[in-house]
Amino acid sequence: MLLLRKERAAWIDSSAVWTHAVTLTFPRSKFGIAPSEQAACNTANHLVNVLNRNLLGRGNVRNGHKIGSAFVFGTGPYGDHPHIHMTLAAPSGLSHEAMKKEIDNAIHQIEGLGHQLVIKPYSDSGWIDYMLDHCSDGFEERLVFPTTPEQATSV
């Protein structure tokens, strides 16, 4: 089902209790080459997997319990600034600062992340609008959402 942009943004916003807005900018290699969209998205998937294991434990992850997450890939206005915009839902009972620390720790465990990093509180659906405005055309392919079993539907 193809949703209009406004409906898509509302659906994402209402699908979890989002707590964190994250931007990850990827460094260029020593030869000046930026990572591909697939490589950047694979790294973002890996980050979500690391967070799931660190926050929930391997057993819970195997049983389908995961944090809510959604991300998009963008390249900036000139196509030379590869980055991921992400929104995450902290597990209930985890403070904002504790989740921020877990995100930061996970990012620094993964090679290729931490080059430029912004972690902010998710305050309203404006972040989802921003994500959708700045993503590549491959949004449907790269949307990793929802990851909580109670709300799993197909995009």
Side-chain angles (χ1 to χ4, degrees):
M1 174 191 328
L2 186 60
L3 298 175
L4 299 173
R5 189 196 165 292
K6 194 177 219 179
E7 291 170 319
R8 182 180 292 156
W11 176 73
I12 294 168
D13 184 55
S14 67
S15 295
V17 179
W18 302 115
T19 58
H20 291 75
V22 180
T23 299
L24 305 168
T25 303
F26 295 89
R28 297 183 174 283
S29 72
K30 63 182 176 181
F31 302 109
I33 300 169
S36 68
E37 178 176 354
Q38 181 175 356
C41 290
N42 287 345
T43 302
N45 271 320
H46 182 56
L47 171 62
V48 172
N49 289 337
V50 169
L51 285 169
N52 282 323
R53 283 192 309 269
N54 290 351
L55 292 167
L56 304 174
R58 291 180 192 268
N60 281 323
V61 172
R62 276 193 304 272
N63 290 326
H65 301 284
K66 299 177 183 179
I67 63 169
S69 63
F71 68 80
V72 295
F73 175 80
T75 57
Y78 303 108
D80 62 350
H81 185 70
H83 58 281
I84 294 280
H85 292 302
M86 175 181 282
T87 186
L88 299 169
S92 60
L94 189 65
S95 72
H96 181 271
E97 283 304 314
M99 178 68 169
K100 183 177 179 179
K101 184 177 178 182
E102 289 290 341
I103 295 167
D104 191 56
N105 289 340
I107 285 169
H108 287 92
Q109 290 175 21
I110 300 170
E111 186 177 338
L113 289 181
H115 173 69
Q116 189 177 0
L117 165 67
V118 179
I119 305 171
K120 293 184 176 181
Y122 179 90
S123 56
D124 59 40
S125 62
W127 177 247
I128 301 294
D129 290 332
Y130 183 82
M131 285 173 54
L132 294 176
D133 286 345
H134 292 85
C135 69
S136 69
D137 292 337
F139 177 77
E140 288 85 7
E141 298 174 359
R142 300 303 179 198
L143 181 64
V144 177
F145 172 84
T147 57
T148 53
E150 306 83 51
Q151 300 174 345
T153 58
S154 60
V155 176

